[in-house]
Amino acid sequence: MFRPSAQRLWGLQLLSCGLRESPGRPRWVSRRGAGLTTYFHPGINLKKIHYDSIKLYETLEEETGQAVGFHQPGSIRIATTPVRVDEFKYQMTRTGWHATEQYIIEPEKIQEMFPLLNMNKVLAGLYNPGDGHIDPYSLTMALAAGARKYGAFLKYPAPVTSLTSRSDGTWDVETSQGSLRANRIVNAAGFWAREVGQMIGLEHPLIPVQHQYVVTSSIPEVKALKRELPVLRDLEGSYYLRQERDGLLFGPYESQEKMKVQDSWVTSGVPPGFGKELFESDLDRIIEHVEAAMEMVPVLKTADIINVVNGPITYSPDILPMVGPHQGVRNYWVAIGFGYGIIHAGGVGKYLSDWILHGEPPFDLIELDPNRYGKWTTTQYTEAKARESYGFNNIVGYPKEERFAGRPTQRVSGLYKTLESKCSMGFHAGWEQPHWFYKPGQDNQYRPSFRRTNWFEPVGCEYKQVMQRVGVIDLSPFGKFNIKGQDSIRLLDHLFANVIPKVGFTNISHMLTPKGRVYAELTVSHQSPGEFLLITGSGSELHDLRWIEEAAVKGGYDVEIKNITDELGVLGVAGPRARKVLQKLTPEDLSDDAFKFLQTKTLKVSNIPVTAIRISYTGELGWELYHRQEDSAALYDAIMNAGQEEGIDNFGTYAMNALRLEKAFRAWGSEMNCDTNPLEAGLEYFVKLNKPADFIGKQALKQIKAKGLKRRLVCLTLATDDVDPEGNESIWYHGKVIGNTTSGSYSYSIQKSLAFAYVPIELSEVGQEVEVELLGKNYPAVIIQEPLVLTEPARNRLQKNIERTKLEKDLYQPVEL
C-alpha cells in the first residue's frame, strides 16, 4: 500500500498503463493487452519498478474494493540453446542481491509445472514465482477508484487543446471542458504523447507498432489441469503464452522485417476519437511463431482460434519508457513510451510521485531518462530503432550489446570517416565512438559473448600501447557546457561538493542530491575569470544540463549556460611519450613544471586552436584537446604523423576502461549514481564539507558521515578462466549474498580479473576474501589495496621523493677522517 501522499498520482499510474477508464467496454477489447506481469527485467533498477507494480496490484482489490483479476501462477523462460542457458546464468548473478525471487530450473521441474510442453529441445528454465497476468480493464477501474478514494478528481473526456508555460514556471492547460492552472504537468498521454509534446515544441521519439495476440477456445487438456499453468516465454520462438480460462493465449514478436509500424499516426496524428478500435488481424505475419508455439505446446494444433487481437503499442527507440522531468522546459514531466505498460504502470507512478514530492529520484533510473534522446533522434531513426527493438524482444541479451539499426545518426565526430574502417564502434547518445581497433587479418566482426571474445587480444595490445608508448582516442561524445556570468562562481559553488578551481586549472567535481547522493560527476575547468568549461559523460549530457539549468533558475543566478557538445571535438593523447609527440606540434612549453597536472591552457597544436587540459582517464601522462569539430580530422592527422617515431597508435573505450580500473578511477553510473553517496564510493577527496558554500546535499552528507557508513566500495582481484566481471554480479560470503560488483574488466598488468564492488563495512578490509558469481560459478576473490597501478602523477611524486631522500642521504653522509 502506498503512502497517502503518493496516492495523488494514481491517475498517473492509470495513464501509464496506456489505459483510459471506459465503463462498459467488453473484456477482450479492454485495451488489447495480454496483461502480463513479471518480476524479471535484465536492467538492475527496472526490477524495482516491476516489484513495486506487482506489490501494488497484490493489494489493490483490498484497498479499493475493485476486483482486478490478478493471477500469479509464476512464469518460466525456456532455454533451448546452450547460449540461452548462459544468459540465464548471467541474469541469475545479477538477481542475487535483489528482493525478487528467481531460479534456474531443470527440464524435469519445467515439465512438472507445465505438463503440456514438448520437452525435446528444452535445456533449462528461468523461473519467477509471483509472475502472472492481470485484467487490464479491471486494473484501470481499480486505479481510478483508488485515485478518487485519495482525493483525485477525474474528468473525461477532456482532451488537452493547448499548453502555455508562464514566466513563474506554472502552466495554463486548455481542455475541451475549460482551462486550469498547473504547477507542473506530466505527459502520460500514451498514444497521444507525441501530439501533446508538439504543443510545446517537443518531438518526442515515439512510434506506434502493431502487436497481435491469439486467443483459443477451450482446450480439454487445459480444462483438465488441477492448477493454472505458469506463463511461458519461448525465447527462441519469440512468443509468450499463458492460460486464459480453459484455453490459451499467445502473442508473438515477429521480426523487424515483418512487423508493422503505424506510420500514419506519426505523420497525421492519432485518428480523432480513437480508443476502442483494433487493427485488422494478420495471421500471415505471425505464422512462423504460431507454428513454433504449436511445436512447443502440441495441444495448440487442435485448438480453435476464437479471437485475434491486433492493437497499437507505443515504442521508444530502445523500447524503454521515458520517465522524469524534461530538459529545456520548466516543470514538464513525462511518463511515455511504455512498450510494457501494465508491468511498469504501478512502479513508475510511485517513482514519479516520490521524485516530485521529495525533489530527487528515489533510486537511479537514468536508462529511462527522457533526456537520453536529443535533436539527433529523428523520426527516421525512431522508426528504424522501434522496428529493431520490437523484432529483438526475445534475442539473447549479451553484455556490451550493440544494435545497429538507424546508425550512424547525424551526430558523428569529425573522425568518423577516418576511423570507421579501423575499429568496432559503440553507440553513445547518438555518437559513434571507437570501442576497439583491429589490424589487417584480425577478426573484425561484432561477436557478442558472455565470455572473452574477439576483442580481448586487440584490447590488450591497446592497453600496452598506452602504458608503454602513446595512444590517441576520440572523446568527442563528452557532454560539454560553457557557463559564464556574474553569478557563475556562486552557482557552481552551490552545485558542486568540491571547491571551485583557480583560473587556469581543472578539478573533478560532483553534484549531489538533497539527500547526499551522487547525481553527477563532471570536470570543471576555470578558463578565464568567471567562465567555465564543464565536461560530463556522453550519456549524461542533458541529464546534467537539466539539473544545472534548474538550479540556476530556482536560485535566480545571473548566468549564461550554453550546451556546446556538438560544436567541440575532443582528442585524448595519453602514454609516456605523449608529451614528446605533442611538443613537436606546439611552441607552448609542455614540460611538467610549465604545464602541470590538472592545468588548462588555450594554445595551438599544428596551428589549430585547442583548449588543452592535462588530464587523462587512463591515469597516464596525457592531455585532452578540445577543438572545433571541423578541425578534428586535421588535428588527428597532425598528431598521428608527428608520433610515428614514438610508435603512436589508436585506442578505444574498452582499453580505457581497463586502464581506469587499474588506477581505481570511479565511473559515474557504475561506482556512483543516485543510489550511492560519495563517502561510501571513496570520493572523500572531492567533497569539501568545510567549504563556506552550502552546496546541495551538504547537510545530508554531514549526517551520513556522523552516523557512519554501512558499506564501502572496494577493489577486488579474482582469477577466472574465460569470463570477466562486468558489473552488478553478486558477491558471496559464507553462502550468502552480501554485495555486488559495480564494474569490472581483465587486468592486463596482473593477468587477472579486476572489479569494484560494494560490501558491508565489516568485510571491507584489505585481504578480505569473498566470492564473485560469474555464469553460475563462484570465483574466489580478495580485496586489494587500491590502486592496483599508480597514476603517472603519483609515480612522478614517488620518484621525486625517492630521489630527494637519496640526495639528502648523500648530502649528510658522514665523512671518515
Side-chain angles (χ1 to χ4, degrees):
M1 183 184 295
F2 294 151
R3 300 182 307 278
S5 57
Q7 302 284 5
R8 297 172 189 169
L9 284 188
W10 274 41
L12 173 61
Q13 293 160 356
L14 176 124
L15 289 169
S16 296
C17 290
L19 303 168
R20 296 181 303 167
E21 189 189 21
S22 182
R25 181 183 294 171
R27 171 170 181 159
W28 285 116
V29 188
S30 66
R31 203 18 135 208
R32 316 161 193 87
L36 300 182
T37 58
T38 178
Y39 284 114
F40 175 86
H41 196 280
I44 297 304
N45 278 351
L46 265 170
K47 296 179 193 293
K48 296 180 181 178
I49 294 292
H50 288 211
Y51 181 88
D52 286 342
S53 289
I54 290 175
K55 292 308 174 187
L56 169 66
Y57 301 161
E58 286 176 343
T59 62
L60 203 52
E61 185 170 338
E62 179 183 351
E63 189 166 359
T64 66
Q66 176 73 44
V68 294
F70 194 18
H71 298 245
Q72 293 183 275
S75 77
I76 305 173
R77 284 169 169 75
I78 298 296
T80 57
T81 66
V83 72
R84 193 67 78 172
V85 176
D86 274 353
E87 182 186 25
F88 288 0
K89 292 176 181 177
Y90 177 74
Q91 288 301 331
M92 281 303 298
T93 188
R94 298 156 68 85
T95 301
W97 49 285
H98 279 272
T100 58
E101 289 185 82
Q102 184 169 286
Y103 310 98
I104 291 180
I105 56 177
E106 298 298 321
E108 295 76 17
K109 184 64 175 177
I110 296 171
Q111 188 163 36
E112 177 189 329
M113 298 175 69
F114 203 115
L116 306 182
L117 207 59
N118 176 0
M119 301 298 296
N120 289 346
K121 297 180 180 179
V122 176
L123 300 178
L126 193 65
Y127 173 54
N128 289 91
D131 283 9
H133 55 95
I134 194 167
D135 175 41
Y137 171 71
S138 298
L139 173 60
T140 306
M141 298 299 289
L143 289 173
R148 289 192 187 94
K149 178 179 178 180
Y150 291 102
F153 176 66
L154 304 182
K155 193 170 186 177
Y156 56 89
V160 175
T161 56
S162 74
L163 297 169
T164 305
S165 61
R166 297 169 55 85
S167 59
D168 62 355
T170 61
W171 289 86
D172 285 334
V173 182
E174 297 290 336
T175 80
S176 60
Q177 296 200 27
S179 62
L180 57 93
R181 180 72 49 80
N183 291 329
R184 67 182 57 80
I185 55 177
V186 181
N187 182 349
F191 305 137
W192 299 270
R194 186 181 178 93
E195 295 171 45
V196 171
Q198 289 171 341
M199 292 178 185
I200 57 173
L202 296 177
E203 290 289 340
H204 294 309
L206 301 170
I207 200 160
V209 303
Q210 293 188 16
H211 177 65
Q212 301 182 91
Y213 65 82
V214 177
V215 184
T216 76
S217 61
S218 178
I219 300 173
E221 292 87 344
V222 175
K223 188 174 183 179
L225 294 170
K226 302 297 184 184
R227 60 185 179 189
E228 184 176 354
L229 292 168
V231 177
L232 188 75
R233 289 177 174 85
D234 178 2
L235 302 176
E236 306 310 321
S238 192
Y239 64 86
Y240 56 82
L241 181 147
R242 69 166 177 82
Q243 186 172 336
E244 175 56 34
R245 299 189 178 91
D246 295 334
L248 295 173
L249 176 156
F250 64 98
Y253 289 96
E254 59 269 37
S255 69
Q256 57 185 306
E257 294 79 18
K258 292 186 176 181
M259 61 85 69
K260 188 170 182 180
V261 169
Q262 196 65 21
D263 306 86
S264 62
W265 287 17
V266 178
T267 55
S268 305
V270 181
F274 181 88
K276 301 179 182 180
E277 297 78 8
L278 295 170
F279 301 127
E280 187 176 347
S281 62
D282 184 359
L283 279 175
D284 289 341
R285 209 164 71 220
I286 61 173
I287 192 63
E288 64 183 272
H289 304 281
V290 173
E291 291 171 349
M294 288 178 175
E295 181 182 356
M296 185 64 76
V297 186
V299 297
L300 283 171
K301 294 178 181 178
T302 57
D304 293 325
I305 294 175
I306 61 170
N307 209 346
V308 179
V309 178
N310 185 13
I313 302 175
T314 304
Y315 263 45
S316 69
D318 62 9
I319 208 174
L320 295 177
M322 300 163 65
V323 177
H326 203 288
Q327 185 272 330
V329 189
R330 288 177 67 189
N331 295 322
Y332 175 75
W333 297 59
V334 296
I336 58 180
F338 290 89
Y340 310 107
I342 296 294
I343 190 54
H344 287 155
V348 165
K350 182 178 189 302
Y351 183 82
L352 276 185
S353 300
D354 289 347
W355 191 345
I356 289 171
L357 288 167
H358 303 300
E360 64 180 274
F363 51 86
D364 181 71
L365 265 184
I366 193 171
E367 61 265 44
L368 302 193
D369 188 353
N371 306 299
R372 67 188 185 272
Y373 300 118
K375 294 178 181 178
W376 52 270
T377 318
T378 62
T379 301
Q380 293 76 16
Y381 171 84
T382 300
E383 178 171 343
K385 297 305 288 187
R387 285 185 176 278
E388 179 185 59
S389 295
Y390 186 90
F392 282 8
N393 246 288
N394 291 306
I395 67 164
V396 175
Y398 291 103
K400 293 183 169 64
E401 181 187 57
E402 289 292 324
R403 296 187 176 186
F404 299 98
R407 296 170 54 182
T409 71
Q410 62 194 35
R411 199 180 209 192
V412 293
S413 83
L415 290 183
Y416 177 70
K417 292 295 184 184
T418 303
L419 300 179
E420 64 172 327
S421 63
K422 302 176 182 179
C423 67
S424 177
M425 292 279 189
F427 189 74
H428 299 267
W431 298 89
E432 299 289 334
Q433 185 174 28
H435 276 173
W436 62 280
F437 287 81
Y438 40 77
K439 301 298 183 185
Q442 290 183 329
D443 181 3
N444 63 2
Q445 299 301 304
Y446 171 66
R447 302 195 187 282
S449 176
F450 296 103
R451 295 174 167 80
R452 294 170 191 161
T453 184
N454 58 333
W455 54 259
F456 181 76
E457 295 296 337
V459 170
C461 293
E462 294 173 32
Y463 169 91
K464 292 177 183 177
Q465 177 71 34
V466 175
M467 290 296 292
Q468 299 173 6
R469 294 180 291 277
V470 56
V472 178
I473 185 171
D474 184 7
L475 299 172
S476 297
F478 279 164
K480 317 165 195 83
F481 317 130
N482 178 268
I483 298 182
K484 60 184 179 181
Q486 65 178 24
D487 290 339
S488 59
I489 292 177
R490 286 181 55 238
L491 170 63
L492 298 187
D493 217 15
H494 174 64
L495 279 169
F496 291 113
N498 205 344
V499 295
I500 303 303
K502 297 177 181 178
V503 175
F505 283 87
T506 297
N507 70 14
I508 309 297
S509 295
H510 299 86
M511 297 192 296
L512 308 183
T513 70
K515 292 183 179 180
R517 296 179 293 188
V518 184
Y519 187 83
E521 179 184 72
L522 299 91
T523 57
V524 179
S525 298
H526 202 160
Q527 295 182 294
S528 62
E531 183 169 358
F532 297 86
L533 175 65
L534 272 59
I535 307 299
T536 187
S538 58
S540 306
E541 175 196 345
L542 300 182
H543 169 272
D544 294 0
L545 181 61
R546 186 201 65 80
W547 188 266
I548 295 168
E549 289 174 338
E550 185 177 275
V553 171
K554 188 176 181 180
Y557 294 96
D558 184 3
V559 293
E560 180 185 330
I561 302 169
K562 187 178 180 184
N563 185 359
I564 55 175
T565 299
D566 291 345
E567 297 174 22
L568 297 184
V570 190
L571 283 179
V573 184
R577 301 175 187 173
R579 178 181 285 117
K580 189 175 181 182
V581 171
L582 291 176
Q583 192 65 82
K584 297 178 185 180
L585 300 171
T586 181
E588 187 80 30
D589 185 357
L590 302 183
S591 66
D592 197 49
D593 291 334
F595 204 141
K596 296 179 173 57
F597 178 58
L598 292 180
Q599 198 166 1
T600 177
K601 295 184 179 183
T602 299
L603 48 88
K604 287 189 176 181
V605 175
S606 189
N607 212 34
I608 296 171
V610 304
T611 295
I613 305 175
R614 190 178 156 194
I615 192 173
S616 176
Y617 201 36
T618 66
E620 295 303 305
L621 173 66
W623 280 263
E624 290 176 358
L625 306 176
Y626 294 80
H627 55 276
R628 294 182 308 170
Q629 191 75 255
E630 55 266 35
D631 290 334
S632 290
L635 181 62
Y636 172 83
D637 288 343
I639 293 170
M640 296 302 283
N641 289 332
Q644 292 303 302
E645 201 174 300
E646 287 73 27
I648 198 167
D649 210 343
N650 298 293
F651 72 103
T653 58
Y654 285 3
M656 185 166 66
N657 186 56
L659 287 156
R660 72 96 183 169
L661 277 163
E662 289 189 349
K663 306 304 195 308
F665 290 168
R666 278 69 169 152
W668 192 89
S670 299
E671 283 68 56
M672 52 180 147
N673 54 28
C674 288
D675 295 326
T676 61
N677 68 66
L679 304 182
E680 64 188 3
L683 298 171
E684 298 95 330
Y685 177 81
F686 305 101
V687 176
K688 311 303 183 188
L689 285 172
N690 59 349
K691 80 171 188 175
D694 188 22
F695 61 84
I696 298 172
K698 183 176 184 179
Q699 300 309 316
L701 211 53
K702 285 183 176 180
Q703 294 178 14
I704 291 170
K705 185 174 182 179
K707 291 179 180 178
L709 300 177
K710 295 181 179 180
R711 64 172 189 167
R712 190 165 73 87
L713 188 72
V714 297
C715 194
L716 301 167
T717 59
L718 56 157
T720 66
D721 30 56
D722 63 343
V723 60
D724 298 299
E726 291 281 337
N728 298 313
E729 292 95 1
S730 296
I731 304 294
W732 292 78
Y733 179 71
H734 287 179
K736 294 183 179 180
V737 175
I738 51 91
N740 63 279
T741 62
T742 55
S743 59
S745 175
Y746 182 78
S747 168
Y748 292 91
S749 66
I750 62 170
Q751 298 183 354
K752 289 183 178 181
S753 292
L754 188 66
F756 274 126
Y758 277 105
V759 298
I761 199 78
E762 64 272 17
L763 297 176
S764 65
E765 296 300 318
V766 171
Q768 176 67 55
E769 294 181 350
V770 293
E771 294 176 326
V772 178
E773 182 184 350
L774 300 171
L775 292 185
K777 179 180 177 181
N778 284 12
Y779 291 89
V782 62
I783 297 175
I784 63 167
Q785 181 67 48
E786 59 177 75
L788 179 65
V789 178
L790 290 174
T791 63
E792 180 265 345
R795 296 198 300 267
N796 280 350
R797 288 194 298 270
L798 183 62
Q799 183 62 35
K800 287 178 180 178
N801 288 338
I802 291 173
E803 291 173 357
R804 187 182 299 112
T805 302
K806 184 176 183 299
L807 180 62
E808 289 173 351
K809 285 183 178 179
D810 290 344
L811 287 174
Y812 295 101
Q813 187 75 28
V815 179
E816 293 185 11
L817 298 176

